[in-house]
Amino acid sequence: MIDRRSDRAFYKQLADELREQIASGHLAGGARLPSQKTLAEKYGISIDTVRDAIDVLKAEGLVVTRQGQPTRVREAGPKQAVPLPEDFVAVGARMPTQEERDRLDLATGVPVLVVRTSEGEMVYAADSTHLVATDASSVA
Amino acid sequence: MIDRRSDRAFYKQLADELREQIASGHLAGGARLPSQKTLAEKYGISIDTVRDAIDVLKAEGLVVTRQGQPTRVREAGPKQAVPLPEDFVAVGARMPTQEERDRLDLATGVPVLVVRTSEGEMVYAADSTHLVATDASSVA
DNA sequence: CCGGATTTGTACGTATGTATT
DNA sequence: GAATACATACGTACAAATCCG
């Protein structure tokens, strides 16, 4: 529920509530969220405020929206293990550039892994990739 | 400028333009963006639409907003090199949880690096950290 | 220290467009 | 074609934080 006397913004309260439902598994990966209209009526707030809450969850990579379709909890696809090169210089992460989002077809809130070697940089969708030791024998 | 005949949403066009100015260095780290009001007047669009554009850039980790202060291009602080443990199992990245955002004081659009070892997981702000070979002799 | 100006934040409303089911 | 759902864009009003003279 939304506490109208609270200092916390309504859209943050709603985001908190939905986030909790996702974290607890009450809303599992792929599950549909109630429509914005439904949420607005249920909580007695405007659709705009509901959208603000959804935007927060999108930026956190928790949900995915597509026009004409219900908002769904983002499903992390099976991660592919990629060997970390022996000669890597550094590993970092950041949000993708516009070009990378288009090229890798990344949803909002999905970062990329960047591996720098002496040869150059490799960029992986963090969504679907994790890096493992080159000696893959120890991988779980 | 904004092409009102374009199919591309106004807020996306504005986000593109600001993103380009940041990428090109025309707006350097720490630089102030024009106020939302100024941008709205300059481009002949509503403040709400300007805010939508700013929201895009926030999610991309490009700008930071704070109430009462001008919007600024995010400054990536000096990155600290952290040795990657010899016994690491996997390295990944994701957006932080609410708790991590609070604890690490992360801005919107800043992912975290996750290092899994046999001992457990370590989480680093990708903003200020990159992982390097345990043998640090090769680090630039 | 105070008050005004500036700037972003929150919340509401309306209307229409576009994509999917 | 109809119904549903999200997307875009405009407007208003007020609140809260910061900055500056």
Side-chain angles (χ1 to χ4, degrees):
Chain A
M1 280 292 104
I2 283 182
D3 180 1
R4 300 189 84 89
R5 292 165 310 183
S6 167
D7 279 343
R8 190 159 179 79
F10 298 169
Y11 79 90
K12 287 180 181 171
Q13 292 186 50
L14 176 54
D16 290 344
E17 188 150 324
L18 294 171
R19 190 187 299 109
E20 169 56 28
Q21 290 183 20
I22 294 169
S24 71
H26 190 270
L27 284 172
R32 297 161 47 147
L33 269 66
S35 75
Q36 296 170 356
K37 183 167 171 289
T38 302
L39 288 171
E41 288 166 356
K42 174 173 175 182
Y43 291 96
I45 58 182
S46 76
I47 284 192
D48 223 58
T49 302
V50 171
R51 287 182 62 82
D52 285 343
I54 302 283
D55 284 346
V56 170
L57 301 178
K58 282 200 287 189
E60 293 174 1
L62 294 178
V63 304
V64 178
T65 65
R66 264 188 292 270
Q67 195 170 353
Q69 293 181 31
T71 300
R72 291 177 185 276
V73 178
R74 191 166 69 80
E75 291 194 89
K79 288 207 179 189
Q80 185 185 358
V82 174
L84 185 64
E86 288 281 6
D87 69 333
F88 86 97
V89 175
V91 177
R94 57 171 170 75
M95 297 312 282
T97 64
Q98 178 68 50
E99 187 273 327
E100 287 164 344
R101 253 193 313 284
D102 292 343
R103 178 162 51 82
L104 302 173
D105 190 33
L106 299 177
T108 302
V110 176
V112 290
L113 270 167
V114 183
V115 180
R116 197 159 86 243
T117 68
S118 47
E119 299 295 305
E121 271 188 4
M122 292 292 295
V123 176
Y124 302 96
D127 197 15
S128 56
T129 307
H130 63 258
L131 305 170
V132 300
T134 306
D135 174 9
S137 62
S138 62
V139 178
Chain B
M1 281 294 103
I2 283 181
D3 180 1
R4 298 189 86 90
R5 291 166 310 183
S6 168
D7 279 344
R8 190 159 179 78
F10 299 169
Y11 80 91
K12 287 181 182 172
Q13 291 187 51
L14 176 54
D16 291 344
E17 189 151 324
L18 294 172
R19 190 187 299 110
E20 170 56 29
Q21 290 182 22
I22 293 170
S24 71
H26 189 271
L27 283 173
R32 297 161 46 148
L33 269 68
S35 77
Q36 297 169 357
K37 183 166 171 287
T38 303
L39 287 171
E41 288 166 355
K42 174 174 176 183
Y43 291 96
I45 56 181
S46 75
I47 284 192
D48 222 59
T49 303
V50 171
R51 287 183 63 85
D52 285 342
I54 302 284
D55 284 346
V56 170
L57 301 179
K58 282 200 286 190
E60 293 175 359
L62 295 178
V63 304
V64 178
T65 65
R66 265 188 291 269
Q67 195 169 354
Q69 293 181 30
T71 300
R72 291 177 185 274
V73 178
R74 190 165 69 81
E75 292 195 89
K79 287 207 178 186
Q80 185 185 357
V82 174
L84 185 65
E86 288 281 7
D87 69 334
F88 86 96
V89 175
V91 177
R94 56 170 170 75
M95 296 313 281
T97 64
Q98 179 68 51
E99 188 273 326
E100 288 165 342
R101 254 194 312 284
D102 292 343
R103 177 161 50 85
L104 302 173
D105 191 33
L106 299 177
T108 302
V110 176
V112 289
L113 270 165
V114 183
V115 181
R116 196 160 85 243
T117 69
S118 47
E119 299 295 305
E121 271 189 1
M122 292 291 296
V123 175
Y124 302 97
D127 198 15
S128 55
T129 308
H130 62 257
L131 306 170
V132 299
T134 305
D135 173 8
S137 61
S138 62
V139 178

XYZ file of all heavy atoms in Angstrom, chain B residues 21-88:
508
model
N 26.982 15.468 -27.519
C 27.807 16.548 -26.976
C 28.698 16.043 -25.849
O 29.798 16.556 -25.637
C 26.918 17.694 -26.485
C 26.243 18.452 -27.634
C 25.410 19.614 -27.141
O 25.623 20.119 -26.044
N 24.452 20.043 -27.954
N 28.197 15.051 -25.121
C 29.009 14.476 -24.044
C 30.105 13.596 -24.642
O 31.278 13.684 -24.265
C 28.125 13.659 -23.079
C 27.167 14.591 -22.328
C 28.991 12.886 -22.095
C 26.087 13.866 -21.540
N 29.736 12.772 -25.609
C 30.692 11.854 -26.227
C 31.812 12.628 -26.924
O 32.972 12.207 -26.918
C 29.974 10.936 -27.212
N 31.441 13.754 -27.509
C 32.432 14.527 -28.272
C 33.311 15.369 -27.364
O 34.278 15.975 -27.811
C 31.714 15.436 -29.275
O 31.051 16.487 -28.586
N 32.951 15.429 -26.099
C 33.751 16.233 -25.190
C 33.316 17.685 -25.136
O 33.862 18.477 -24.367
N 32.319 18.016 -25.961
C 31.797 19.385 -25.920
C 31.224 19.678 -24.546
O 31.282 20.818 -24.060
C 30.730 19.558 -27.000
C 30.291 20.965 -27.193
N 29.260 21.523 -26.492
C 30.768 21.948 -28.002
C 29.104 22.786 -26.867
N 30.003 23.072 -27.773
N 30.663 18.649 -23.938
C 30.251 18.739 -22.532
C 31.137 17.756 -21.752
O 30.921 16.549 -21.812
C 28.771 18.366 -22.365
C 27.742 19.416 -22.776
C 26.339 18.836 -22.708
C 27.840 20.648 -21.879
N 32.103 18.276 -21.059
C 33.064 17.417 -20.366
C 32.519 16.975 -19.013
O 31.481 17.452 -18.566
C 34.378 18.159 -20.196
N 33.225 16.061 -18.368
C 32.824 15.600 -17.055
C 32.715 16.752 -16.078
O 33.625 17.567 -15.984
N 31.611 16.807 -15.366
C 31.410 17.866 -14.403
C 30.732 19.100 -14.973
O 30.268 19.955 -14.228
N 30.645 19.179 -16.292
C 30.039 20.350 -16.934
C 28.557 20.424 -16.624
O 27.891 19.397 -16.480
C 30.268 20.295 -18.440
N 28.071 21.633 -16.536
C 26.645 21.836 -16.275
C 25.847 21.779 -17.564
O 26.244 22.373 -18.569
C 26.422 23.207 -15.628
C 27.082 23.347 -14.285
C 27.252 24.800 -13.891
N 26.034 25.579 -14.140
C 25.664 26.614 -13.389
N 26.401 26.963 -12.345
N 24.582 27.304 -13.670
N 24.743 21.103 -17.519
C 23.816 21.153 -18.652
C 22.932 22.377 -18.460
O 22.739 22.844 -17.343
C 22.952 19.895 -18.688
C 23.477 18.726 -19.513
C 24.735 18.140 -18.867
C 22.422 17.633 -19.614
N 22.385 22.885 -19.554
C 21.396 23.956 -19.414
C 20.234 23.450 -18.572
O 19.957 22.247 -18.552
C 20.954 24.220 -20.856
C 22.047 23.680 -21.718
C 22.629 22.525 -20.970
N 19.571 24.355 -17.878
C 18.443 23.931 -17.048
C 17.339 23.351 -17.930
O 17.269 23.613 -19.132
C 17.909 25.117 -16.258
O 17.137 25.960 -17.088
N 16.485 22.565 -17.308
C 15.369 21.961 -18.033
C 14.516 23.040 -18.685
O 14.062 22.888 -19.823
C 14.538 21.120 -17.070
C 15.320 19.963 -16.485
C 14.606 19.278 -15.335
O 13.527 19.713 -14.920
N 15.195 18.214 -14.819
N 14.312 24.106 -17.965
C 13.516 25.210 -18.491
C 14.173 25.791 -19.745
O 13.499 26.031 -20.754
C 13.400 26.283 -17.402
C 12.540 27.473 -17.739
C 12.245 28.278 -16.474
C 11.553 29.607 -16.770
N 12.482 30.593 -17.374
N 15.475 25.991 -19.666
C 16.204 26.550 -20.804
C 16.123 25.629 -22.013
O 15.877 26.077 -23.138
C 17.681 26.764 -20.427
O 17.756 27.616 -19.289
C 18.449 27.380 -21.586
N 16.332 24.341 -21.766
C 16.284 23.380 -22.863
C 14.889 23.347 -23.489
O 14.747 23.288 -24.712
C 16.668 21.980 -22.360
C 18.150 21.777 -22.036
C 18.376 20.445 -21.346
C 18.992 21.863 -23.304
N 13.877 23.392 -22.627
C 12.506 23.350 -23.132
C 12.236 24.543 -24.048
O 11.659 24.401 -25.129
C 11.526 23.338 -21.969
N 12.703 25.721 -23.621
C 12.470 26.916 -24.432
C 13.289 26.870 -25.721
O 12.799 27.179 -26.800
C 12.837 28.165 -23.617
C 11.816 28.446 -22.505
C 12.341 29.454 -21.491
O 13.516 29.866 -21.598
O 11.574 29.821 -20.566
N 14.531 26.440 -25.578
C 15.434 26.426 -26.725
C 14.923 25.498 -27.823
O 15.032 25.810 -29.009
C 16.822 25.972 -26.266
C 17.820 25.783 -27.397
C 19.215 25.487 -26.855
C 20.204 25.211 -27.988
N 21.553 24.853 -27.470
N 14.354 24.355 -27.418
C 13.927 23.381 -28.419
C 12.426 23.432 -28.699
O 11.931 22.676 -29.526
C 14.334 21.977 -27.987
C 15.836 21.756 -28.033
C 16.625 21.908 -26.901
C 16.468 21.425 -29.228
C 17.993 21.728 -26.948
C 17.834 21.233 -29.291
C 18.599 21.391 -28.144
O 19.949 21.210 -28.198
N 11.743 24.290 -27.958
C 10.312 24.421 -28.202
C 9.515 23.202 -27.797
O 8.541 22.834 -28.453
N 9.949 22.559 -26.715
C 9.224 21.398 -26.210
C 8.922 21.628 -24.735
O 9.415 22.575 -24.136
C 10.039 20.095 -26.383
C 11.397 20.226 -25.700
C 10.216 19.775 -27.870
C 12.274 18.996 -25.850
N 8.104 20.739 -24.165
C 7.705 20.946 -22.778
C 8.794 20.447 -21.828
O 9.648 19.634 -22.204
C 6.401 20.208 -22.490
O 6.639 18.828 -22.380
N 8.759 20.928 -20.617
C 9.740 20.509 -19.617
C 9.643 19.002 -19.371
O 10.652 18.329 -19.180
C 9.508 21.284 -18.300
C 10.044 22.717 -18.448
C 10.187 20.584 -17.128
C 10.133 23.489 -17.148
N 8.415 18.507 -19.428
C 8.218 17.080 -19.215
C 9.006 16.261 -20.237
O 9.601 15.234 -19.904
C 6.728 16.757 -19.354
C 6.269 15.782 -18.300
O 6.402 16.112 -17.106
O 5.804 14.702 -18.687
N 9.002 16.719 -21.450
C 9.711 16.015 -22.516
C 11.219 16.126 -22.300
O 11.963 15.166 -22.534
C 9.304 16.595 -23.879
O 7.889 16.493 -24.016
C 9.967 15.839 -25.012
N 11.653 17.291 -21.838
C 13.073 17.449 -21.507
C 13.460 16.474 -20.401
O 14.499 15.805 -20.467
C 13.384 18.891 -21.057
C 14.796 18.996 -20.497
C 13.195 19.861 -22.212
N 12.595 16.363 -19.410
C 12.895 15.460 -18.297
C 13.002 14.010 -18.769
O 13.830 13.240 -18.269
C 11.824 15.581 -17.210
C 11.927 16.881 -16.429
C 10.887 16.927 -15.312
N 11.093 15.872 -14.338
C 11.928 15.944 -13.306
N 12.618 17.041 -13.119
N 12.058 14.939 -12.483
N 12.156 13.642 -19.724
C 12.244 12.291 -20.280
C 13.628 12.058 -20.898
O 14.207 10.977 -20.765
C 11.154 12.072 -21.335
C 9.773 11.883 -20.704
O 9.712 11.583 -19.502
O 8.778 12.039 -21.414
N 14.136 13.070 -21.590
C 15.461 12.947 -22.206
C 16.540 12.804 -21.138
O 17.443 11.956 -21.248
C 15.748 14.158 -23.099
N 16.441 13.631 -20.107
C 17.416 13.567 -19.014
C 17.365 12.204 -18.331
O 18.401 11.632 -17.965
C 17.147 14.684 -17.975
C 17.187 16.062 -18.630
C 18.140 14.589 -16.817
C 18.545 16.581 -18.942
N 16.167 11.670 -18.185
C 16.013 10.352 -17.556
C 16.764 9.279 -18.347
O 17.347 8.355 -17.763
C 14.535 9.981 -17.461
C 13.826 10.729 -16.335
O 14.522 11.307 -15.479
O 12.586 10.738 -16.317
N 16.727 9.384 -19.658
C 17.451 8.437 -20.500
C 18.951 8.514 -20.196
O 19.611 7.487 -19.989
C 17.209 8.722 -21.998
C 18.143 7.897 -22.862
C 15.760 8.446 -22.353
N 19.460 9.718 -20.125
C 20.896 9.899 -19.892
C 21.290 9.473 -18.482
O 22.396 8.972 -18.258
C 21.283 11.359 -20.140
C 20.977 11.873 -21.554
C 21.367 13.339 -21.686
C 21.687 11.040 -22.611
N 20.384 9.638 -17.538
C 20.662 9.174 -16.176
C 20.780 7.661 -16.153
O 21.708 7.116 -15.545
C 19.541 9.614 -15.220
C 19.637 11.064 -14.804
C 18.861 11.346 -13.525
C 17.366 11.353 -13.760
N 16.633 11.863 -12.559
N 19.862 6.993 -16.834
C 19.885 5.527 -16.861
C 21.138 5.016 -17.555
O 21.607 3.917 -17.282
C 18.638 4.982 -17.549
N 21.682 5.815 -18.449
C 22.905 5.427 -19.147
C 24.145 5.793 -18.338
O 25.265 5.531 -18.772
C 22.955 6.113 -20.521
C 21.866 5.609 -21.461
C 21.836 6.365 -22.786
O 22.642 7.298 -22.963
O 21.004 6.017 -23.638
N 23.917 6.421 -17.198
C 25.057 6.773 -16.355
C 25.835 7.962 -16.867
O 26.983 8.167 -16.456
N 25.248 8.755 -17.744
C 25.988 9.863 -18.349
C 25.870 11.161 -17.570
O 26.781 11.980 -17.597
C 25.510 10.088 -19.791
C 25.803 8.942 -20.766
C 25.239 9.240 -22.141
C 27.311 8.703 -20.852
N 24.745 11.362 -16.905
C 24.553 12.602 -16.154
C 24.026 12.300 -14.758
O 23.513 11.214 -14.492
C 23.583 13.576 -16.874
C 24.057 13.886 -18.279
C 22.176 13.018 -16.874
N 24.176 13.272 -13.896
C 23.699 13.147 -12.528
C 22.843 14.360 -12.213
O 23.221 15.490 -12.529
C 24.881 13.075 -11.536
C 24.374 12.992 -10.112
C 25.773 11.898 -11.851
N 21.694 14.118 -11.601
C 20.860 15.252 -11.196
C 20.724 15.259 -9.684
O 20.731 14.203 -9.046
C 19.443 15.161 -11.800
O 18.775 14.021 -11.268
C 19.504 15.060 -13.309
N 20.647 16.452 -9.140
C 20.372 16.607 -7.710
C 19.450 17.799 -7.544
O 19.666 18.850 -8.159
C 21.663 16.803 -6.914
C 22.221 15.519 -6.330
C 23.391 15.810 -5.398
N 24.538 16.298 -6.153
C 25.492 15.515 -6.640
N 25.434 14.224 -6.432
N 26.496 16.021 -7.319
N 18.463 17.611 -6.729
C 17.472 18.668 -6.521
C 18.153 19.956 -6.090
O 18.975 19.949 -5.179
C 16.473 18.218 -5.458
C 15.215 19.058 -5.406
C 14.162 18.422 -4.544
O 14.328 17.305 -4.083
N 13.084 19.134 -4.312
N 17.794 21.033 -6.756
C 18.349 22.331 -6.408
C 19.645 22.657 -7.106
O 20.125 23.788 -7.037
N 20.222 21.652 -7.765
C 21.490 21.891 -8.450
C 21.338 21.622 -9.935
O 20.503 20.828 -10.339
C 22.578 20.963 -7.906
C 22.964 21.232 -6.471
C 24.048 20.299 -6.000
O 24.883 19.858 -6.785
N 24.044 19.975 -4.722
N 22.170 22.266 -10.735
C 22.116 22.003 -12.166
C 22.494 20.556 -12.469
O 23.267 19.947 -11.730
C 23.152 22.952 -12.761
C 23.677 23.775 -11.664
C 23.159 23.289 -10.368
N 21.935 20.032 -13.530
C 22.304 18.694 -13.992
C 23.727 18.747 -14.542
O 24.088 19.673 -15.254
C 21.326 18.245 -15.091
O 20.007 18.223 -14.556
C 21.679 16.853 -15.596
N 24.522 17.754 -14.162
C 25.925 17.753 -14.593
C 26.305 16.439 -15.254
O 25.729 15.397 -14.962
C 26.851 17.967 -13.386
C 26.764 19.344 -12.781
C 27.660 19.469 -11.552
N 27.479 20.770 -10.901
C 28.143 21.869 -11.263
N 29.030 21.810 -12.236
N 27.918 23.015 -10.643
N 27.282 16.541 -16.125
C 27.846 15.337 -16.725
C 28.567 14.577 -15.625
O 29.345 15.153 -14.868
C 28.832 15.691 -17.860
C 29.446 14.425 -18.448
C 28.125 16.501 -18.933
N 28.280 13.293 -15.530
C 28.858 12.500 -14.455
C 30.365 12.408 -14.613
O 30.886 12.182 -15.702
C 28.263 11.091 -14.434
C 28.646 10.306 -13.186
C 27.785 9.078 -13.011
N 28.062 8.085 -14.034
C 29.092 7.243 -13.970
N 29.914 7.276 -12.947
N 29.291 6.375 -14.926
N 31.047 12.613 -13.515
C 32.498 12.477 -13.528
C 32.862 11.118 -12.981
O 32.598 10.813 -11.823
C 33.134 13.555 -12.650
C 32.982 14.938 -13.209
C 33.922 15.909 -12.522
O 35.062 16.053 -12.993
O 33.519 16.506 -11.524
N 33.502 10.326 -13.833
C 33.994 9.045 -13.356
C 35.240 9.331 -12.531
O 36.233 9.820 -13.043
C 34.312 8.137 -14.526
N 35.126 9.064 -11.246
C 36.260 9.293 -10.370
C 37.417 8.415 -10.795
O 37.260 7.529 -11.634
N 38.582 8.635 -10.225
C 39.736 7.794 -10.543
C 39.438 6.355 -10.170
O 38.947 6.079 -9.080
C 40.849 8.380 -9.670
C 40.151 9.131 -8.596
C 38.861 9.604 -9.177
N 39.711 5.460 -11.084
C 39.403 4.062 -10.815
C 40.516 3.406 -10.018
O 41.687 3.618 -10.278
C 39.212 3.305 -12.135
C 37.916 3.654 -12.835
C 37.450 2.513 -13.699
C 36.106 2.867 -14.348
N 35.547 1.738 -15.092
N 40.072 2.637 -9.066
C 41.020 1.920 -8.240
C 41.186 0.507 -8.789
O 40.206 -0.183 -9.066
C 40.499 1.858 -6.800
C 41.477 1.225 -5.831
C 40.871 1.070 -4.445
O 39.749 1.479 -4.216
N 41.633 0.460 -3.541
N 42.428 0.109 -8.932
C 42.697 -1.241 -9.424
C 42.624 -2.223 -8.275
O 43.268 -2.039 -7.250
C 44.082 -1.297 -10.070
N 41.787 -3.220 -8.440
C 41.643 -4.252 -7.410
C 42.116 -5.582 -7.995
O 41.671 -5.977 -9.068
C 40.174 -4.371 -6.959
C 39.997 -5.537 -6.013
C 39.719 -3.080 -6.305
N 43.012 -6.252 -7.318
C 43.502 -7.524 -7.843
C 42.385 -8.561 -7.902
O 41.605 -8.682 -6.966
C 44.577 -7.949 -6.841
C 44.811 -6.786 -5.958
C 43.621 -5.903 -6.032
N 42.342 -9.247 -8.999
C 41.375 -10.342 -9.144
C 41.940 -11.566 -8.439
O 43.052 -11.987 -8.730
C 41.166 -10.626 -10.633
C 40.111 -11.647 -11.014
C 38.725 -11.154 -10.612
C 40.146 -11.912 -12.514
N 41.194 -12.114 -7.499
C 41.739 -13.246 -6.730
C 42.100 -14.408 -7.647
O 41.427 -14.656 -8.646
C 40.577 -13.633 -5.806
C 39.658 -12.477 -5.784
C 39.839 -11.753 -7.072
N 43.146 -15.089 -7.276
C 43.586 -16.253 -8.062
C 42.479 -17.300 -8.157
O 42.309 -17.953 -9.173
C 44.810 -16.896 -7.393
C 46.093 -16.085 -7.515
C 46.737 -16.264 -8.884
O 46.124 -16.908 -9.758
O 47.846 -15.725 -9.069
N 41.735 -17.424 -7.070
C 40.764 -18.524 -6.988
C 39.358 -18.098 -7.403
O 38.384 -18.725 -7.011
C 40.723 -19.065 -5.555
C 40.107 -18.040 -4.602
O 40.196 -16.836 -4.908
O 39.543 -18.448 -3.584
N 39.264 -17.041 -8.212
C 37.915 -16.586 -8.573
C 37.227 -17.631 -9.432
O 37.859 -18.364 -10.198
C 37.985 -15.247 -9.295
C 38.207 -15.354 -10.772
C 37.132 -15.309 -11.646
C 39.475 -15.495 -11.285
C 37.328 -15.406 -13.011
C 39.689 -15.593 -12.651
C 38.612 -15.552 -13.515
